[in-house]
Amino acid sequence: MKNKIWSIFLAFFLLLSLAAPAGAALDYGLIYDETELIWTEELAKLGEETMPGFVEKYGIDVRVDILTTAGEYETLYDAAENIYSNYAYGGPGGNGVSLTLLVNQDEENVSMDGWCLYFGGESAEWTVN
């Protein structure tokens, strides 16, 4: 009986340890945050209510990505472009804008190193308005 309980406990612990890297970033609706240091109720409301309302009303996808590194890309623009296309920002029509922030962090603070606005889509309504 002890071996069975121990096996269940070990399996549960293993599952938690494998799930931890997947939770290494926070997602506030349309705002993605790798730092996990800037959460506020206002930020969560903005990403979960305000921005989706704008998307629904105007049909223009609005996203914010807060990154700690540009990854394998040479420039922040390249990273923003890749994120926009790989995660299907812009929805079916491809119309949208993303704000990508590059930040650095220590245990208590976050400071911005750069930012990039990336626009996608070719709708006349999007480009005129």
Side-chain angles (χ1 to χ4, degrees), residues 18-116:
L18 292 174
L26 297 177
D27 190 351
Y28 317 118
L30 300 180
I31 301 174
Y32 172 82
D33 173 23
E34 281 186 348
T35 69
E36 298 184 346
L37 295 176
I38 61 173
W39 183 91
T40 63
E41 287 184 30
E42 292 82 13
L43 182 66
K45 183 178 179 181
L46 179 67
E48 295 169 354
E49 296 175 25
T50 306
M51 291 168 59
F54 181 88
V55 172
E56 185 176 321
K57 184 174 183 176
Y58 297 104
I60 299 169
D61 196 9
V62 179
R63 305 286 182 122
V64 176
D65 294 294
I66 304 164
L67 308 177
T68 56
T69 177
E72 62 194 49
Y73 303 98
E74 290 185 31
T75 67
L76 188 55
Y77 178 86
D78 293 339
E81 181 180 38
N82 183 42
I83 290 168
Y84 192 92
S85 61
N86 284 345
Y87 292 96
Y89 286 9
N95 298 319
V97 60
S98 69
L99 171 61
T100 304
L101 305 173
L102 181 62
V103 301
N104 65 64
Q105 68 183 38
D106 59 26
E107 292 179 12
E108 297 178 10
N109 299 304
V110 176
S111 57
M112 188 163 50
D113 292 333
W115 59 274
C116 176

Side-chain angles (χ1 to χ4, degrees), residues 1-14:
M1 182 67 172
K2 285 184 179 184
N3 284 341
K4 189 173 185 178
I5 293 173
W6 181 248
S7 297
I8 292 171
F9 175 78
L10 189 57
F12 179 73
F13 180 77
L14 181 60

